[in-house]
Amino acid sequence: LGRGQTLRDPAALVPNGDGLSGTTGATLDPIMALGQEIELQPHASAHVSFITLAANSREKALALARRYRDGRVIVRAFEQARDRAEAELRQLELSTTDLEYIQQLLSVLLYPRATRRADAATLADNRKGQPGLWPFSISGDHPILLVRMDKSEDLALVQQVLQAHAYWRKRNIKIDLVILNEQGTTYGQELRGQLQRVLIRQNSEDQFNRRGGIFILYADQLSDPDCVLLETAARVVLDGAKGSLAQQLGEMFKPATQLPPFNAVPRDVKLESTPQLARPSDLLFDNELGGFSTDGREYVIYLKPGQWTPAPWINIIANPDFGFTVSETGAGYTWFGNSSENRLTPWSNDPVTDPPGEALYLRDEETAEVWSPTPLPCRAPAPYLIRHCAGYSVFEHNSHGLVQRLRLFAAPNAPVKVVQLHLENTWKRTRRITATLYVEWVLGVTRDAAQQYVISEFDGEHAALLARNCYNTEFGERVAFAAASKPLHGLTADRTEFLGRMGSISHPAALDRIGLASAVEPGLDPCAALQLHIDLRPGESEEIFFLVGEGANRDEALKLIEQHQKAEQIETVWNQANESWDNLLGSVQVQTPDAAMDLLLNRWLLYQTLACRVWARSAFYQSSGAFGFRDQLQDVMALMHAAPQFTREQILLSARHQFEAGDVLHWWHPPSGRGVRTRISDDLLWLPFVTANYVTATGDKSI
């Protein structure tokens, strides 16, 4: 692929490139790539087959590969597959048209769409999480298909869905089929009997109340909150009163109405040049990609066009409860409380593509050009300079007649991330620039698992998009936000609208249109996209900022926005963050004959220990979010002299996670404390060892 590139434009296939290397063997990032040259005479044709196979030994795999090199064997394989499929359809009494609808239904079960889910009001009303499904024997781990019925005529739809479920079961596709009988229990005995007979006829009676099976519930036996939860958890809701499966699926294919395209203004104007961003010449331990600033406080990376670091070089920016990662290519991901269990935006540990879950775009409203002030996701053909430091990262970039400075930092005592952009117009004509912040919401562990439960809301008074996920058991009351420092020009909470179908974060479809559609409603593929207009006269500069964070509830989220939405408030927070890190990291200074050792021991290693290991418990290659009984006890020994209070807190925290029987939780997740109970010996060693060292260093015998 090449660093920073994707399957859309792999480095191995670029014109005049070296192609595939022809190498095999052990590698840290394994793939299989095969290329075949084809020489075609005029009007000639050729057939090429790529075979993917698996076997339980190398010898059998090679034997299969040799067998399928024969084109006749491949043709026969297709014929056999067709014969087998036709026989299966006859056995299940399915036509090819039925199969088409079954596959369409499976599509929306795996990739939910608002058109086949519960109505927006129901989704917004839900306040219960996944455990609310367990009393009905429904785990909530698999996609849920809900079918509502209240009369005998609805059995036709039920029969179609049972056929689909049987077809999926043959392929080990786990779908929980929930049939909700809305006819009263007293009057529903006849309908219940008819339903039982249909199940027997479909050979599905052995699938009752099992994972990936069939569940029959009665509406008059469910509370209103349970009904709302069930409809919210269902990825597809079908209603027997609304006709056949074909009729209900037909609604999905109505094309969405898009805003008109945004076109450049035709002008015969010669573009001026942009001042070149210079490379610092005084970096310490310069390795041609970067080095330390002369005072050792910053690590500086300078990337020329087309240049990448060999792997992501990241900064962990955190306070005790909140934080985010940022690499040399751009924004990483943000979390609150637990960097694994409550990711606000997506985490990725792909060291090749390093896909961002958050991005900032700039668009010139005259030329329609789009780029990002960070190397990803939309790189401009000009150098980028990145400065990582304790508590912040800065991106510097000059292009399109603009001096661009982007600063990312976190409030020291609040769950707020600041994305601060400074633009200066270097051209001799007035400019209008649109800045667009894009955030993919997760509000859980992974976006795919949490996507359908995220509920978005717009608060106009605070120019903010809010989002919550009640399905996230431990963080369901919390409300995330993305807000701006000035009135919005446009917004959307619909990821599909912003990226476009089969679209890419490298160039979102919405930035080729005149604006954003202001789509904010439950059931959409959630995101937060905010747009601001910036007008700059010649030589003029302006500073804007965006906020990303999470409050304990809606009121606290809005309060956090109010506390950080003015420029003077941001300046105060910036100074507080720098002061707190300087006080901590400057408390112990080491001098040795080795300048490199001094550079690391003074500030950098101490910073990484606290921000990354103790507070974040996350990085690029691992994002655990959990406390390790042994691991964090080892880490806080480095803080013994600079910040002994953190060592004391960790000792007591670990002591709370041991048992009278003598064993401990080897690791545990905040806030619930769930973890793994073991008798691993070094856990038991480190608690007394660290305690003894702490008492020796501090004299605090009270512990």
Side-chain angles (χ1 to χ4, degrees):
L1 297 181
R3 270 284 284 132
Q5 294 179 240
T6 69
L7 285 166
R8 291 174 181 263
D9 187 24
L13 301 183
V14 297
N16 304 318
D18 296 331
L20 301 177
S21 65
T23 59
T24 61
T27 173
L28 289 176
D29 199 352
I31 65 159
M32 293 187 291
L34 300 175
Q36 174 67 57
E37 288 190 359
I38 305 169
E39 185 174 322
L40 285 177
Q41 298 299 324
H43 307 294
S45 63
H47 292 274
V48 178
S49 299
F50 289 97
I51 312 297
T52 304
L53 57 88
N56 55 15
S57 71
R58 185 178 188 275
E59 292 73 17
K60 291 181 179 179
L62 292 175
L64 280 171
R66 284 191 293 268
R67 179 184 175 193
Y68 282 93
R69 288 175 69 91
D70 188 334
R72 294 168 299 178
V73 175
I74 293 172
V75 171
R76 179 60 182 152
F78 275 101
E79 292 173 348
Q80 289 176 329
R82 180 186 180 91
D83 292 342
R84 182 173 179 177
E86 290 175 346
E88 183 182 24
L89 293 182
R90 286 193 298 271
Q91 179 187 1
L92 294 174
E93 299 179 351
L94 292 172
S95 67
T96 53
T97 303
D98 294 331
L99 182 59
E100 180 183 353
Y101 294 131
I102 287 173
Q103 301 288 40
Q104 290 176 2
L105 180 57
L106 180 62
S107 173
V108 287
L109 283 165
L110 298 180
Y111 303 97
R113 296 180 64 166
T115 52
R116 284 278 33 100
R117 297 192 59 203
D119 61 81
T122 299
L123 297 176
D125 282 345
N126 182 54
R127 292 296 184 273
K128 300 188 74 173
Q130 186 173 353
L133 297 170
W134 299 344
F136 311 111
S137 301
I138 302 171
S139 69
D141 295 334
H142 305 305
I144 295 174
L145 169 58
L146 176 64
V147 182
R148 305 169 66 167
M149 57 176 291
D150 69 353
K151 55 184 181 296
S152 299
E153 289 79 1
D154 300 343
L155 289 171
L157 175 64
V158 172
Q159 184 163 338
Q160 286 182 295
V161 171
L162 288 172
Q163 286 177 307
H165 198 260
Y167 183 82
W168 298 328
R169 290 201 306 271
K170 283 180 172 290
R171 283 147 184 78
N172 288 318
I173 298 173
K174 302 286 188 183
I175 303 293
D176 285 335
L177 171 57
V178 181
I179 301 172
L180 183 61
N181 188 338
E182 296 184 323
Q183 195 175 73
T185 309
T186 306
Y187 304 100
Q189 298 304 319
E190 181 181 353
L191 184 58
R192 178 186 296 188
Q194 291 173 332
L195 179 58
Q196 294 286 355
R197 287 191 290 274
V198 170
L199 290 168
I200 293 171
R201 235 181 2 254
Q202 293 292 331
N203 297 315
S204 298
E205 67 273 16
D206 61 340
Q207 297 298 315
F208 279 146
N209 298 334
R210 53 189 297 182
R211 291 169 66 87
I214 300 168
F215 305 83
I216 298 178
L217 303 178
Y218 296 88
D220 60 353
Q221 296 177 2
L222 302 178
S223 67
D224 289 342
D226 286 337
C227 284
V228 170
L229 170 64
L230 189 61
E231 294 192 41
T232 300
R235 296 191 174 194
V236 174
V237 179
L238 300 175
D239 192 331
K242 294 183 178 180
S244 67
L245 184 59
Q247 291 172 310
Q248 298 191 51
L249 290 177
E251 300 174 11
M252 294 192 311
F253 303 105
K254 296 176 182 177
T257 302
Q258 304 290 0
L259 293 172
F262 178 79
N263 299 314
V265 178
R267 279 191 181 183
D268 187 18
V269 177
K270 184 178 179 180
L271 295 181
E272 305 170 50
S273 61
T274 303
Q276 180 78 13
L277 181 65
R279 188 189 195 282
S281 58
D282 56 353
L283 298 180
L284 304 177
F285 302 100
D286 195 331
N287 58 22
E288 298 184 0
L289 289 172
F292 292 94
S293 59
T294 53
D295 59 6
R297 295 171 62 91
E298 295 182 330
Y299 191 82
V300 182
I301 304 164
Y302 185 87
L303 299 178
K304 294 178 287 189
Q307 187 178 34
W308 304 86
T309 57
W313 291 359
I314 77 164
N315 195 6
I316 305 287
I317 299 174
N319 61 39
D321 298 310
F322 172 83
F324 61 93
T325 64
V326 52
S327 78
E328 86 293 343
T329 64
Y333 86 108
T334 305
W335 70 85
F336 173 85
N338 188 313
S339 55
S340 171
E341 303 298 297
N342 191 40
R343 295 169 180 149
L344 305 190
T345 56
W347 170 71
S348 168
N349 65 341
D350 184 340
V352 178
T353 61
D354 189 13
E358 308 170 26
L360 183 64
Y361 301 90
L362 299 177
R363 184 175 73 183
D364 188 316
E365 296 298 291
E366 183 179 11
T367 65
E369 290 182 281
V370 176
W371 74 98
S372 56
T374 55
L376 285 180
C378 189
R379 191 167 188 169
Y384 287 84
L385 188 142
I386 303 96
R387 301 180 183 271
H388 288 325
C389 188
Y392 69 86
S393 287
V394 172
F395 293 83
E396 300 182 20
H397 176 65
N398 296 355
S399 70
H400 302 84
L402 297 167
V403 173
Q404 305 154 45
R405 300 293 181 268
L406 178 66
R407 186 165 66 182
L408 307 175
F409 65 96
N413 301 307
V416 176
K417 172 182 181 177
V418 180
V419 181
Q420 191 172 23
L421 177 68
H422 178 92
L423 296 181
E424 180 185 343
N425 182 10
T426 65
W427 287 353
K428 296 178 181 178
R429 66 175 187 271
T430 299
R431 314 286 303 284
R432 166 163 278 201
I433 303 297
T434 295
T436 304
L437 176 74
Y438 170 70
V439 172
E440 283 190 14
W441 291 129
V442 175
L443 309 190
V445 180
T446 63
R447 197 189 68 83
D448 289 345
Q451 160 192 349
Q452 73 178 96
Y453 307 110
V454 174
I455 304 298
S456 297
E457 173 193 355
F458 176 64
D459 186 279
E461 182 181 350
H462 298 85
L465 278 168
L466 310 178
R468 58 179 172 84
N469 176 14
C470 291
Y471 215 67
N472 186 349
T473 305
E474 295 177 329
F475 299 91
E477 296 296 321
R478 302 196 64 85
V479 174
F481 59 84
S485 59
K486 54 189 286 188
L488 296 174
H489 171 69
L491 64 100
T492 186
D494 185 359
R495 178 174 172 267
T496 303
E497 178 211 336
F498 188 78
L499 295 183
R501 177 81 176 98
M502 302 301 294
S504 166
I505 194 172
S506 63
H507 193 100
L511 298 184
D512 288 332
R513 298 192 286 265
I514 62 170
L516 301 176
S518 300
V520 184
E521 64 178 64
L524 299 175
D525 189 354
C527 78
L530 306 176
Q531 283 188 336
L532 299 179
H533 271 341
I534 305 167
D535 293 307
L536 297 171
R537 292 190 293 271
E540 190 177 26
S541 63
E542 184 175 341
E543 196 164 270
I544 63 166
F545 57 86
F546 298 92
L547 306 173
V548 178
E550 189 177 59
N553 49 47
R554 188 180 187 277
D555 290 342
E556 185 182 285
L558 296 177
K559 184 177 179 181
L560 286 168
I561 295 170
E562 290 174 358
Q563 292 171 347
H564 297 85
Q565 211 164 16
K566 293 185 175 62
E568 56 269 24
Q569 295 169 325
I570 291 300
E571 189 64 24
T572 299
V573 169
W574 165 252
N575 292 331
Q576 289 172 345
N578 282 319
E579 183 180 358
S580 63
W581 279 116
D582 286 345
N583 290 340
L584 173 67
L585 303 180
S587 59
V588 173
Q589 292 295 300
V590 177
Q591 291 182 334
T592 75
D594 188 337
M597 179 176 284
D598 292 351
L599 200 65
L600 288 178
L601 288 178
N602 294 323
R603 295 182 69 90
W604 283 103
L605 293 181
L606 203 61
Y607 168 63
Q608 294 287 8
T609 297
L610 184 58
C612 175
R613 296 290 305 153
V614 179
W615 286 348
R617 303 179 300 285
S618 181
F620 193 92
Y621 297 102
Q622 183 186 22
S623 175
S624 75
F627 281 101
F629 196 100
R630 166 200 59 200
D631 296 358
Q632 271 68 47
L633 280 173
Q634 292 175 339
D635 295 329
V636 296
M637 290 190 72
L639 303 168
M640 199 77 75
H641 301 290
Q645 69 273 20
F646 294 126
T647 308
R648 190 181 204 278
E649 289 172 8
Q650 192 63 41
I651 290 171
L652 296 178
L653 180 63
S654 298
R656 293 189 198 105
H657 290 83
Q658 58 183 342
F659 300 90
E660 290 185 4
D663 53 339
V664 305
L665 287 183
H666 184 58
W667 56 258
W668 66 90
H669 273 293
S672 67
R674 59 185 173 82
V676 173
R677 187 173 176 176
T678 73
R679 292 183 176 273
I680 294 176
S681 58
D682 52 350
D683 288 338
L684 308 181
L685 163 69
W686 283 96
L687 182 60
F689 183 72
V690 175
T691 304
N693 273 268
Y694 170 78
V695 173
T696 301
T698 65
D700 177 17
K701 298 181 180 179
S702 65
I703 196 170

